[in-house]
């Protein structure tokens, strides 16, 4: 009986220990992968409340993902500001990564100037890893999208002096995109060449080829090379319908600018075959009709 009692106590103790086991980062990521975002948020908050800097940072980083996936952008901003204020011993890399999240949250809230300020703060930290150049990458894209080209160019010039930035494929692609927007094809193509040489996930090839196509089509006016680039982008595995529709629209535009109207019409018609939404759907439909009239009229 004594042995049985001890066995029961041991078993209960084991259950209690398991039940009270501290949550881990893997627990949080597993919940996120299952789409259980509120539950993941609780796990990450518990980890972020611990004493060690490693746990506080890791937990907060996981929390950023959980909050962003729930579109809780205001909370992201609040958590970043609180963490920075309470963590004087944070590393440059840690600070830069959190300013990236803050910038993304402000961008999605359409607070453009505040987002740019957050990205710039992160970029100015010049962290020895990619976190600061990631901030610069987002700054360049947002500034260029908003027509603030001088600010975008200034950020590129400052950040490109950092060796780590020139090995950051995202920074290279976004900088090449800026060169397309500001009609600097030689720099843009060189940046894309450098990006292709880096080890990177296959899905980024679509971005590289598409940006290359933009530069050939709009800057160097080499429509044949533009079509080749867009076709290479189409060949990248796993593209979404939206991406395919965008690429076929770009192919149509390149053919049209090269006065190859029949090929342009064929490309434009393919745009509408995908279950996608965007301005380019109506654009392609109207362009196909307009060019078909030219073809029928023998122009």
């Amino acid at each position: 009986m004594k042995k049985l009692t001890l066995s029961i106590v041991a078993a209960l103790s084991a259950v209690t220990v398991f039940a009270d086991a501290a949550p881990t980062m893997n627990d949080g990521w597993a919940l996120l992968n299952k789409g259980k975002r509120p539950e993941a948020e609780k796990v990450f908050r518990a980890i972020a409340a611990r004493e060690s800097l490693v746990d506080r940072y890791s937990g907060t980083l996981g929390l950023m993902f959980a909050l962003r996936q729930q579109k809780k952008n205001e909370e992201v901003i609040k958590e970043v500001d609180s963490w920075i204020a309470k963590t004087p011993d944070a590393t440059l890399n840690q600070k830069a990564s959190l300013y990236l999240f803050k910038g993304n949250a402000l961008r999605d809230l359409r607070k453009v100037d505040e987002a740019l300020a957050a990205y710039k703060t992160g970029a100015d930290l010049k962290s020895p890893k990619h976190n600061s150049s990631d901030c610069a990458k987002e700054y360049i894209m947002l500034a260029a999208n908003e027509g603030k080209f001088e600010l975008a160019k200034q950020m590129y010039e400052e950040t490109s002096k950092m060796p780590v930035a020139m090995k950051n494929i995202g920074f290279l692609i976004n900088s090449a995109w800026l060169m397309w927007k500001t009609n600097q094809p030689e720099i843009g193509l060189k940046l894309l060449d450098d990006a292709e040489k880096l080890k990177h996930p296959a899905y980024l090839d679509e971005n590289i080829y598409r940006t290359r196509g933009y530069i050939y089509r709009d800057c160097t006016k080499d429509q044949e090379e533009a079509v080749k680039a867009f076709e290479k982008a189409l060949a990248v595995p796993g593209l979404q319908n939206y991406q395919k529709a965008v690429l076929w629209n770009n192919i149509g535009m390149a053919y049209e600018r090269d006065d190859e109207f029949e090929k342009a019409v064929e490309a434009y018609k393919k745009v509408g075959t995908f279950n996608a939404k965007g301005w380019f759907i109506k654009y392609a439909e109207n362009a196909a009709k307009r060019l078909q009239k030219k073809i029928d009229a023998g122009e």
Side-chain angles (χ1 to χ4, degrees), residues 48-58 60 79-92 94-96 98-99 125:
R50 295 173 188 166
E51 291 186 9
S52 78
L53 176 59
V54 172
D55 284 342
R56 281 185 283 134
Y57 173 68
S58 298
T60 301
E79 291 292 339
V80 170
D81 288 343
S82 175
W83 195 89
I84 296 292
K86 294 177 180 178
T87 317
D89 53 341
T91 68
L92 296 179
Q94 291 170 344
K95 290 179 182 178
L98 292 179
Y99 277 117
L125 290 171

Side-chain angles (χ1 to χ4, degrees), residues 32-147:
L32 268 190
N33 289 334
K34 293 177 182 178
K36 297 182 178 181
R37 292 156 187 159
E39 293 87 346
E41 178 184 338
K42 290 179 181 178
V43 168
F44 290 133
R45 284 189 184 280
I47 296 172
R50 295 173 188 166
E51 291 186 9
S52 78
L53 176 59
V54 172
D55 284 342
R56 281 185 283 134
Y57 173 68
S58 298
T60 301
L61 200 63
L63 179 61
M64 294 297 99
F65 283 100
L67 292 175
R68 288 279 292 154
Q69 288 188 19
Q70 296 176 81
K71 300 187 184 302
K72 295 182 177 180
N73 289 310
E74 296 286 2
E75 286 192 43
V76 168
I77 297 165
K78 178 181 177 182
E79 291 292 339
V80 170
D81 288 343
S82 175
W83 195 89
I84 296 292
K86 294 177 180 178
T87 317
D89 53 341
T91 68
L92 296 179
N93 290 323
Q94 291 170 344
K95 290 179 182 178
S97 68
L98 292 179
Y99 277 117
L100 179 64
F101 277 104
K102 180 177 179 179
N104 290 344
L106 288 163
R107 178 199 63 202
D108 290 354
L109 290 170
R110 294 303 302 153
K111 297 182 178 181
V112 174
D113 290 338
E114 291 179 55
L116 289 174
Y119 289 140
K120 189 174 189 311
T121 300
D124 287 347
L125 290 171
K126 293 182 171 54
S127 64
K129 294 184 180 179
H130 283 166
N131 295 339
S132 283
S133 53
D134 279 339
C135 287
K137 171 194 73 175
E138 296 300 334
Y139 182 102
I140 288 169
M141 182 63 78
L142 179 58
N145 267 329
E146 297 296 323

Side-chain angles (χ1 to χ4, degrees), residues 237-298:
L239 294 187
Q240 297 178 0
N241 285 339
Y242 174 88
Q243 293 172 298
K244 294 175 183 177
V246 166
L247 288 166
W248 276 113
N249 187 60
N250 283 316
I251 289 172
M253 293 173 71
Y255 276 134
E256 181 179 354
R257 294 181 187 187
D258 215 21
D259 293 333
E260 295 198 47
F261 296 153
E262 291 185 0
K263 290 183 178 180
V265 169
E266 183 180 348
Y268 281 136
K269 285 183 176 179
K270 287 186 178 181
V271 175
T273 64
F274 300 97
N275 185 23
K277 296 180 180 179
W279 66 270
F280 47 86
I281 302 296
K282 194 65 177 178
Y283 177 91
E285 181 183 342
N286 291 336
K289 291 178 181 178
R290 172 171 47 79
L291 293 180
Q292 190 60 55
K293 288 181 180 180
K294 286 191 173 186
I295 294 170
D296 295 341

